[in-house]
């Protein structure tokens, strides 16, 4: 079977694909390039959130000479993504695949990496490990929780009630890390601060997100932030309610001209630019790429009008520490059920994968994972 | 079981949409041959002449088929059954081309890519057939109750519950029992869970006259809540921190692919199940009783048919089909239960079933069409820079034109058996 | 704890007022359509397309109410299409509805790409906050005019169906097409008009989603609300006043999940979030009975036969 497919790919590459009589411009273009990269998104590429952030940053790859980028949006986390990868490989001649949604990793990307050992696969976030996963697969991830930690510091100092609200989609590790970091930041500057978390249950539920924002405002929270696909609704609802907000994913400063404090932003473009540079030199991409403020993979949105001077000062100092790769997670750290998760005296390095297996909410967070 | 024709064919029969073919329109009078031509299985799979009629309905209408003119009618009906859908698709293609031209895109490129992505290469077929498999099950989950006049739109819920049940029952056996023990257990659990889920909908309909459309839709949301509650909570495996899932069943327990293909066994099983459903609906007393009930509930009751039990049975079968779709998602694709089970197969199955006119034997080919459109959608996005919604627009158009083409059956002059209406 | 209880109660009240409007508009429109003897399952597509066109037109014209009108008109085009197609012999209204749902959402997503990011002028609320000193209630009493229009429409429709010639004709058409024909009524025309009005209202419901609450356009905006609203019509027994009750109940129950989590009751939030569906199903089971057929069900309606 694979021999037949191989020959088909060769056919494609030779651009003389006599399968269809009429000329297919797209195929020739894709096949003529030196390297074709496929990028897969779980939602619409222009969702003003997670997918758009990737799409914008990934356009860096298009600037590399000889590289052709093919993209597909709204690919569900089912066998469909396997077939999309295969289709990119077999019909477009893709040699490198970026998969940008959590659920793409296991089993879908892992399966495809086993099936196509000559093709490189990279996943945003997936916890790739040398022992468990194929060597032509890998993952890259930016420690957004560092920026959420800075958000927490600024929010803790700007809040008057000490009650902060966090609207989250699902209790997965990357979300829990952000909630915990936000809480740790806030409680560093205001030990009495609490973070009330509401899980909506899915990535894009605008009505429930708005309801959650209203419910948190009603419960006395005066700063809201979130981790959902598109934070627009949450930030705008907070602004409507006359309370403050911190952004997520990209800059939402313009959406809250009164209440914006700061926001946690990915800088995917740094990662993709680095990748592009490696590709230009003809080098292989790393299998396990991680980084935060120290590598300029994340940033905080420029302060909004609601950030107090104290907040700005403390946040700026925290950013400087993180840029110097100073750890911010240290024992004794308890979860919100009273269990010790980091014993006293222990310091968690910023690159410790322990953080990426977070499955608890820290002390000070009001809420439950299930 | 002689049933007076009038009982089967009262004019007020509207639902299910297979109704029109069982129904005799008032203006057609009691024209048996018209009715015969419009029988669903003749349209899609014309039986050999002299096919022994097995149901009472067939018995009454089959008498004239002995002569040559009846044979001609059957042939004409078959020609019609092929020509009309093709013409309908052509109209949709034409309209969509206008849409593309208006957007400044080339329809020629579009349809070449559509062909290529869905059917044009060996890989395209693999891609298409892989996407086809779950749709056959979920479409059957719509079609079977539809024959009784029940409109179930929550098959997705049974798929979710079936997949969840399969993953959960496997847990105690993992590492203890071999795959040939685990897989059948999972299969039965999925089918039973799905059957219970939609069977409950049928029971509600029977016992309390709760509308099945709305209750099945509501229960879909409840199914998702149950899945997420357990998958993100008590049954969450630590293996994947970013995609809450049950413990993986392990590659040694996964279902493989059909030899020579890269498509899992779900496809073959789906086709077998579709054929079995066809036999059930056309060649058994159950199927006949179901069709009578679908034609007219009151008449069925008057005939002493156990309408309530029929409804619950049809719903349970439907739920089992959807549950089996969930089983294959878990056992052949995901290896575990998680939110990826909620992928919309149940809802696409509704479209497939309607396009197949709730005729089980027509479901596999229609599912292939949908699978192909989905498979090609990606290629079109990548090559033409069109958003994914483009294929959805085309799907909607094809769906509309095929449904509208229903209206021309029996009205095309050169295909009329008598040359006139 | 009583504080928490009050918070949840007020949140549910506020949620009922905020979230119910799209359900109300869609279900009122659908109630009229179904009373005439047809079912239009495609209102989900109409709702989504209405939401998109309202947002787009509001953004382009600068006037949100123009957006509402555009959504209504777009919706009526979908209604007309349904009404026209279903008059053809042997065409199933349920199937055409599903086709239009697919087509409508497809078109909305296709043309809506460019409007996800821009910020369009939204509809403003009427502030009844002066009625109370409670800060939470003050916010809850900021109510969009469309909510009141919906309530008024429900009363008018309820009255008109029962007491006017128009209402009589619609009901007669829905109960028995043969009788209506015998009376010289054009069944197709009545259903065409009823479906068109239904489409208009569903489009306006969509405008509320994108222009007021939650007040932005994206592809996940509706997530099935239109389909649910159609289902609520059966739940409401085709009574416009009951549609109001059902929409309010659904909205209030939808606020339950977030509200409980906001006061710290979060274990099992998946089920709280599904509260509207669980509650609706429970009421449906409790209030149905096999002894009597669905009261108020139009005799010609395919889905309840």
């Amino acid at each position: 079977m694979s021999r037949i497919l191989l020959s088909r790919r060769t056919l494609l590459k030779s651009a003389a694909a006599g399968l269809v009589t009429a000329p297919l411009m797209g195929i020739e273009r894709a096949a003529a390039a030196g390297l074709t990269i496929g990028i897969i998104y779980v939602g619409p590429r222009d969702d003003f959130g997670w997918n758009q952030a990737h799409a914008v940053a990934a356009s860096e790859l298009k600037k590399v000479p000889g590289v052709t980028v093919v993209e597909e949006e709204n690919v569900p986390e089912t066998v469909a993504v396997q077939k999309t990868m295969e289709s990119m490989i077999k019909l477009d001649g893709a040699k490198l695949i970026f998969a940008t949604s959590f659920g793409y990793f296991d089993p879908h990307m892992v399966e495809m990496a086993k099936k196509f050992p000559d093709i490189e696969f990279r996943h945003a976030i997936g916890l790739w490990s040398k022992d468990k996963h194929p060597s032509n697969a890998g993952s890259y991830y930016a420690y957004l929780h560092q920026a959420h930690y800075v958000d927490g510091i600024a929010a803790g100092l700007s809040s008057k009630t000490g009650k902060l609200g966090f609207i989250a989609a699902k209790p997965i590790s990357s979300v829990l890390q952000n909630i915990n970091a936000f809480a740790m930041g806030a409680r560093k500057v205001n030990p009495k601060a609490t973070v009330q978390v509401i899980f909506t249950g899915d990535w894009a539920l605008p009505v429930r997100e708005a309801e959650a924002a209203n419910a948190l405002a009603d419960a006395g929270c005066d700063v809201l932030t979130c981790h959902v696909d598109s934070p627009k609704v949450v930030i705008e609802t907070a602004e409507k309610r006359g309370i403050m907000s911190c952004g997520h994913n990209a800059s939402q400063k313009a959406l809250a001209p009164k209440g914006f404090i700061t926001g946690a932003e990915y800088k995917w473009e740094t990662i993709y630019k680095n990748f592009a540079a490696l590709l230009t030199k003809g080098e292989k991409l790393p299998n396990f790429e991680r980084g935060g403020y120290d590598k300029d993979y994340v940033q905080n949105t420029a302060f909004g009008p609601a950030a107090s001077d104290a907040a700005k000062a403390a946040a700026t100092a925290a950013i400087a520490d993180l840029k110097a790769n100073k750890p911010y997670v240290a024992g004794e750290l308890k979860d919100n059920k009273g269990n010790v998760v980091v014993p006293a005296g222990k310091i968690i390095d910023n690159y410790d994968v322990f953080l990426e297996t977070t499955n608890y909410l820290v002390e000070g967070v009001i809420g439950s994972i299930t | 079981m002689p049933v007076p024709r009038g009982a089967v064919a009262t004019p007020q029969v509207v639902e299910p949409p297979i109704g029109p073919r069982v129904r005799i329109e008032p203006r057609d009078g009691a024209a048996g041959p018209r009715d015969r031509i419009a029988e669903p299985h003749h349209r899609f799979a014309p039986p050999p002449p002299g096919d022994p009629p097995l149901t009472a309905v067939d018995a009454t209408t089959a008498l004239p088929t002995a002569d040559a003119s009846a044979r001609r009618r059957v042939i004409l009906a078959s020609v019609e059954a092929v020509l009309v859908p093709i013409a309908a698709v052509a109209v949709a293609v034409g309209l969509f081309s206008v849409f593309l031209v208006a957007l400044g895109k080339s329809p020629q490129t579009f349809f070449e890519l559509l062909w290529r992505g869905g059917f044009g290469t060996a890989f395209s077929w693999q891609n298409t057939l892989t996407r086809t498999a779950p749709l056959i099950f979920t479409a059957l989950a719509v079609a079977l109750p539809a024959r009784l006049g029940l409109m179930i739109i929550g098959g997705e819920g049974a798929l979710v519950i079936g997949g969840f049940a399969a993953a959960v029952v496997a847990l105690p056996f993992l590492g203890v029992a071999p795959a040939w023990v685990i897989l059948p257990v999972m299969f039965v659990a999925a089918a039973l869970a799905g059957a219970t889920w939609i069977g409950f909908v049928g029971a509600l309909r029977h016992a309390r006259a709760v509308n099945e459309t709305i209750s099945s839709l509501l229960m879909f949301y409840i199914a998702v809540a149950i899945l997420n509650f357990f998958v993100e909570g008590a049954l969450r495996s630590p293996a994947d921190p970013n995609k809450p899932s049950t413990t993986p069943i392990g590659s040694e327990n996964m279902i493989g692919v059909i030899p020579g293909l890269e498509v899992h066994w779900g496809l073959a099983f789906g086709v077998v199940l579709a054929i079995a459903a066809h036999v059930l609906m056309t060649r058994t007393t159950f199927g006949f009783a179901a069709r009578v009930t679908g034609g007219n509930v009151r008449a069925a009751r008057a005939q002493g048919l156990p309408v309530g039990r029929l409804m619950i049975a049809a719903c349970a079968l439907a739920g089992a089909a959807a549950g089996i779709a969930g089983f294959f998602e878990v056992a052949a694709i995901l290896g575990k239960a998680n939110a990826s089970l909620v992928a919309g197969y149940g809802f696409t199955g509704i479209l497939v079933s309607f396009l197949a006119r709730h005729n089980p034997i027509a479901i596999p080919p229609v599912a292939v069409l949908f699978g192909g459109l989905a498979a090609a959608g990606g290629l079109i996005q990548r090559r033409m820079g069109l958003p994914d919604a483009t294929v959805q627009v085309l799907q909607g158009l094809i769906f509309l034109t095929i449904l509208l083409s229903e209206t021309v059956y029996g009205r095309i002059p050169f295909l009329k058996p008598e040359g006139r209406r | 704890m009583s504080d928490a209880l009050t918070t949840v109660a007020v949140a549910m009240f506020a949620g009922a007022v905020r979230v119910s409007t799209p359900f109300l508009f869609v279900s009122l429109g659908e109630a009229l359509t179904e009373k005439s003897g047809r079912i239009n399952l495609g209102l989900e597509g109409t709702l989504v397309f209405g939401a998109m066109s309202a947002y787009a037109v509001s953004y382009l014209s600068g006037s949100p109410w123009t957006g509402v009108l555009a959504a209504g008109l777009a919706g009526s085009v979908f209604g007309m299409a349904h009404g026209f197609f279903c008059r053809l012999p042997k065409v199933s209204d349920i199937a055409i509805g599903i086709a239009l749902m697919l087509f409508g959402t497809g078109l909305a997503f296709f043309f809506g790409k460019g409007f996800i990011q821009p910020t369009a002028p939204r509809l403003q609320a009427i502030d009844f906050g002066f009625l109370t000193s409670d800060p939470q209630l003050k916010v809850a009493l900021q109510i969009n005019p469309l909510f009141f229009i919906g309530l008024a429409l429900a009363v008018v429709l309820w009255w008109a169906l029962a007491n006017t010639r128009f209402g009589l004709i619609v009901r007669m058409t829905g109960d028995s097409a043969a009788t209506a024909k015998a009376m010289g009524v054009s069944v197709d025309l009545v259903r065409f008009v009823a479906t068109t009005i239904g489409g208009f209202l569903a489009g306006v419901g969509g405008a509320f989603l994108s222009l007021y609450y939650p007040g932005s356009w994206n592809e996940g905006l509706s997530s099935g609300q239109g389909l649910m609203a159609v289902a609520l019509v059966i739940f409401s027994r085709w009574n416009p006043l009951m549609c109001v009750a059902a929409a309010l109940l659904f909205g209030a129950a939808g606020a339950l999940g977030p509200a409980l989590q906001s006061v710290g009751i979060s274990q099992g939030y998946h089920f709280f979030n599904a509260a509207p569906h669980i509650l609706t199903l429970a009421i449906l089971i409790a209030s149905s009975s096999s002894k009597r057929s669905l009261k108020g069900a139009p005799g010609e309606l395919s889905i309840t036969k």
Side-chain angles (χ1 to χ4, degrees):
Chain A
M1 194 67 229
S2 68
R3 201 178 307 150
I4 300 171
L5 294 170
L6 259 179
S7 71
R8 219 172 271 293
R9 212 185 307 153
T10 333
L11 261 178
L12 265 178
K13 259 196 276 184
S14 67
L19 294 164
V20 191
T21 43
L24 289 174
M25 288 175 53
I27 290 176
E28 282 161 342
R29 189 184 38 153
L35 173 67
T36 299
I37 300 174
I39 308 177
I40 306 171
Y41 310 98
V42 74
R45 229 176 320 179
D46 36 19
D47 65 349
F48 208 16
W50 170 264
N51 297 295
Q52 187 167 338
H54 273 282
V56 170
S59 60
E60 286 294 332
L61 297 170
K62 295 179 185 164
K63 294 178 189 159
V64 180
V67 159
T68 309
V69 172
V70 290
E71 294 168 284
E72 196 170 322
E73 61 181 356
N74 273 347
V75 180
E77 294 170 345
T78 62
V79 72
V81 69
Q82 297 186 22
K83 290 297 159 189
T84 289
M85 290 177 183
E86 253 189 286
S87 178
M88 285 173 161
I89 294 164
K90 287 179 179 163
L91 300 184
D92 296 343
K95 291 274 184 240
L96 170 61
I97 305 274
F98 287 107
T100 62
S101 183
F102 308 124
Y104 288 162
F105 187 65
D106 187 18
H108 308 300
M109 199 182 97
V110 174
E111 283 294 315
M112 288 297 109
K114 283 181 195 156
K115 188 170 173 185
F116 297 100
D118 303 338
I119 310 291
E120 292 290 318
F121 295 85
R122 293 296 178 274
H123 185 266
I125 289 197
L127 202 48
W128 180 86
S129 120
K130 200 165 63 180
D131 318 319
K132 280 195 287 184
H133 300 121
S135 61
N136 58 326
S139 68
Y140 53 102
Y141 180 39
Y143 293 142
L144 190 69
H145 51 88
Q146 295 184 354
H148 270 285
Y149 173 72
V150 176
D151 273 7
I153 290 174
L157 287 170
S158 302
S159 167
K160 294 184 179 59
T161 61
K163 286 170 120 177
L164 316 175
F166 201 114
I167 295 159
K170 281 174 170 286
I172 65 171
S173 169
S174 65
V175 174
L176 298 175
Q177 286 170 62
N178 290 338
I179 300 172
N180 289 345
F182 187 70
M184 282 188 258
R187 286 166 69 84
K188 188 184 173 215
V189 294
N190 176 6
K192 285 192 190 133
T194 56
V195 174
Q196 185 84 49
V197 59
I198 291 185
F199 288 104
T200 58
D202 220 328
W203 294 105
L205 292 169
V207 174
R208 199 173 291 157
E209 286 155 17
E211 276 301 293
N214 275 308
L216 289 170
D218 287 344
C221 298
D222 65 350
V223 183
L224 296 190
T225 189
C226 63
H227 186 159
V228 294
D229 264 357
S230 303
K232 192 177 173 189
V233 165
V234 171
I235 306 296
E236 286 190 337
T237 308
E239 184 75 0
K240 247 192 245 172
R241 292 295 304 260
I243 59 175
M244 295 175 276
S245 56
C246 290
H248 168 79
N249 228 343
S251 173
Q252 279 100 32
K253 195 176 173 184
L255 298 176
K258 284 192 200 126
F260 196 74
I261 298 175
T262 177
E265 290 183 42
Y266 286 106
K267 284 187 85 176
W268 292 114
E269 62 268 25
T270 319
I271 300 186
Y272 285 105
K273 255 183 205 162
N274 292 349
F275 285 176
L278 288 173
L279 293 175
T280 311
K281 282 187 267 174
E283 284 173 27
K284 191 173 174 288
L285 300 186
N287 287 94
F288 196 68
E289 180 58 28
R290 292 292 189 267
Y293 253 113
D294 58 324
K295 286 192 187 166
D296 196 30
Y297 283 1
V298 297
Q299 67 183 352
N300 276 80
T301 317
F303 294 110
S308 66
D309 290 337
K312 286 180 192 169
T316 310
I319 290 173
D321 283 351
L322 288 166
K323 279 189 171 156
N325 202 18
K326 278 194 194 159
Y328 75 94
V329 184
E332 185 190 62
L333 186 65
K334 283 183 181 165
D335 69 13
N336 66 354
K337 292 175 190 150
N339 307 314
V340 175
V341 284
V342 179
K346 190 172 177 189
I347 291 171
I348 303 293
D349 184 77
N350 282 346
Y351 280 83
D352 195 330
V353 287
F354 168 77
L355 289 174
E356 289 186 50
T357 58
T358 302
N359 59 0
Y360 50 86
L361 292 165
V362 296
E363 198 176 14
V365 178
I366 306 167
S368 161
I369 292 176
T370 51
Chain B
M1 209 178 346
V3 174
R5 282 213 56 80
V8 188
T10 39
Q12 71 222 91
V13 179
V14 178
E15 169 62 5
I18 50 132
R21 268 158 282 118
V22 186
R23 167 177 62 185
I24 296 171
E25 307 257 346
R27 59 175 172 278
D28 294 326
R34 266 278 287 132
D35 195 35
R36 172 95 183 126
I37 288 162
E39 271 292 328
H41 65 273
H42 296 304
R43 183 163 301 159
F44 286 95
D51 185 25
L54 289 180
T55 65
V57 172
D58 282 350
T60 54
T61 51
L63 292 172
T65 58
D67 61 47
S69 79
R71 193 168 300 175
R72 183 165 164 264
R73 272 195 286 274
V74 171
I75 293 168
L76 282 177
S78 316
V79 173
E80 190 179 43
V82 173
L83 280 188
V84 171
I86 290 177
V89 172
V91 171
V93 165
L95 287 173
F96 192 72
S97 301
V98 175
F99 176 74
L100 285 175
V101 169
L103 293 165
K105 299 278 181 184
S106 153
Q108 194 195 350
T109 314
F110 181 91
F111 287 106
E112 276 163 5
L113 287 173
L114 187 69
W115 174 253
R116 190 175 165 72
F119 311 99
T121 72
F123 164 70
S124 308
W125 271 104
Q126 310 271 18
N127 191 350
T128 297
L129 292 178
T130 305
R131 294 166 195 262
T132 301
L135 299 182
I136 297 178
F137 295 107
T138 55
L140 283 172
V142 178
L144 293 176
R147 304 298 293 249
L148 277 95
L150 299 179
M151 171 73 199
I152 303 281
I153 60 175
E156 181 101 354
L159 184 155
V160 167
I161 286 295
F164 176 63
V168 172
V169 294
L171 293 176
F173 294 96
L174 294 180
V176 181
W180 60 266
V181 171
I182 294 181
L183 285 173
V185 169
M186 287 172 71
F187 179 89
V188 171
L192 277 181
T196 312
W197 198 253
I198 302 294
F200 180 63
V201 170
L204 283 180
R205 164 74 194 241
H206 171 58
R208 298 203 65 92
V210 174
N211 180 279
E212 73 287 353
T213 311
I214 165 167
S215 64
S216 65
L217 179 65
L218 290 166
M219 283 178 63
F220 156 67
Y221 290 96
I222 297 171
V224 174
I226 292 174
L227 172 79
N228 285 332
F229 176 75
F230 286 107
V231 163
E232 290 174 7
L235 295 171
R236 183 169 178 172
S237 148
D240 194 343
N242 278 316
K243 182 82 184 176
S245 311
T246 56
T247 306
I249 61 171
S251 54
E252 69 279 10
N253 292 321
M254 300 273 289
I255 290 183
V257 295
I258 303 171
L261 282 174
E262 293 172 23
V263 185
H264 64 77
W265 280 101
L267 178 73
F269 194 83
V271 173
V272 170
L273 201 64
I275 295 169
H278 173 71
V279 171
L280 177 74
M281 296 314 284
T282 55
R283 306 280 146 113
T284 65
T285 315
F286 173 85
F288 173 63
R291 277 155 60 196
V292 171
T293 310
N296 187 322
V297 176
R298 283 171 214 102
R301 283 219 174 87
Q303 288 297 316
L305 290 177
V307 170
R309 264 190 290 152
L310 281 171
M311 281 181 175
I312 297 172
C315 285
L317 285 175
I324 292 169
F327 162 77
F328 279 109
E329 278 306 294
V330 169
I333 309 276
L334 300 170
K336 54 202 175 185
N338 60 33
S340 293
L341 281 172
V342 194
Y345 292 131
F347 293 109
T348 313
I350 302 173
L351 306 179
V352 173
S353 182
F354 267 96
L355 266 200
R357 304 141 141 251
H358 309 309
N359 179 357
I361 206 73
I363 281 175
V366 175
V368 168
L369 176 72
F370 269 80
L373 284 175
L379 191 67
I380 288 163
Q381 270 192 52
R382 302 194 309 260
R383 293 292 168 73
M384 296 185 75
L386 285 167
D388 73 307
T390 320
V391 172
Q392 202 180 338
V393 173
L394 176 64
Q395 272 183 356
L397 267 179
I398 293 181
F399 201 73
L400 269 177
T401 53
I402 291 189
L403 290 173
L404 289 175
S405 73
E406 297 269 324
T407 199
V408 306
Y409 284 102
R411 292 161 126 204
I412 306 166
F414 66 90
L415 287 173
K416 274 184 206 160
E418 293 86 15
R420 60 182 175 80
R421 278 202 77 222
Chain C
M1 201 60 213
S2 72
D3 265 7
L5 209 64
T6 321
T7 306
V8 172
V10 175
M12 286 179 72
F13 165 74
V17 173
R18 281 191 299 248
V19 179
S20 61
T21 308
F23 289 107
L24 184 56
F25 273 86
V26 176
S27 57
L28 285 179
E30 181 68 10
L32 178 65
T33 306
E34 291 189 16
K35 270 288 182 191
S36 80
R38 278 220 190 108
I39 184 160
N40 181 2
L41 277 185
L43 291 187
E44 167 77 9
T46 312
L47 182 84
V48 173
F49 195 85
M52 189 282 292
S53 45
Y55 200 78
V57 170
S58 170
Y59 174 66
L60 297 173
S61 73
S63 154
W65 285 101
T66 313
V68 175
L69 186 68
L73 292 177
S76 33
V77 171
F78 279 95
M80 280 182 205
H82 188 275
F84 177 76
F85 292 152
C86 295
R87 63 179 292 172
L88 301 169
K90 293 196 277 184
V91 169
S92 149
D93 51 350
I94 295 183
I96 289 289
I98 293 174
L100 284 175
M101 174 169 10
L102 188 70
F103 190 58
T105 43
L107 280 182
F109 291 174
F110 190 92
F111 290 112
K113 293 283 177 199
F115 299 101
I116 296 174
Q117 206 157 336
T119 299
R122 315 302 156 76
L123 295 171
Q124 294 303 313
I126 306 174
D127 196 347
F128 293 93
F130 58 85
L131 292 172
T132 173
S133 57
D134 183 271
Q136 198 191 344
L137 266 178
K138 260 186 194 304
V139 177
L141 287 172
Q142 294 183 353
I143 300 173
N144 189 277
L146 278 175
F147 177 71
F148 296 109
I149 294 175
L151 291 185
L153 255 173
V155 176
V156 168
L157 193 61
W158 170 74
W159 178 81
L161 278 173
N163 297 307
T164 63
R165 191 182 140 74
F166 163 80
L168 181 69
I169 290 176
V170 168
R171 281 187 296 136
M172 188 169 65
T173 313
D175 279 330
S176 163
T179 317
K181 261 186 203 138
M183 302 279 291
V185 173
S186 165
V187 171
D188 287 333
L189 182 67
V190 171
R191 291 179 177 168
F192 179 80
V193 171
T195 317
T196 304
I197 297 175
F200 185 92
L201 293 180
V204 173
F208 181 91
L209 280 179
S210 63
L211 291 179
Y212 184 69
Y213 196 79
S216 85
W217 159 247
N218 62 58
E219 294 183 9
L221 184 60
S222 161
S223 12
Q225 290 183 56
L227 197 57
M228 204 55 241
V230 170
L232 286 183
V233 176
I234 303 168
F235 180 77
S236 314
R237 308 268 195 273
W238 299 271
N239 177 346
L241 295 185
M242 281 290 289
C243 286
V244 176
L248 286 173
L249 176 83
F250 210 75
L256 188 66
L260 283 177
Q261 288 193 67
S262 80
V263 298
I265 302 171
S266 46
Q267 204 103 45
Y269 63 84
H270 290 107
F271 294 107
F272 300 144
N273 284 344
H277 308 99
I278 298 173
L279 201 64
T280 309
L281 185 63
I283 295 177
L284 201 59
I285 296 173
S287 66
S288 302
S289 158
S290 61
K291 298 284 185 295
R292 57 188 158 82
S293 64
L294 287 169
K295 215 177 127 219
E300 292 274 319
L301 203 60
S302 45
I303 203 159
T304 51
K305 271 208 168 138

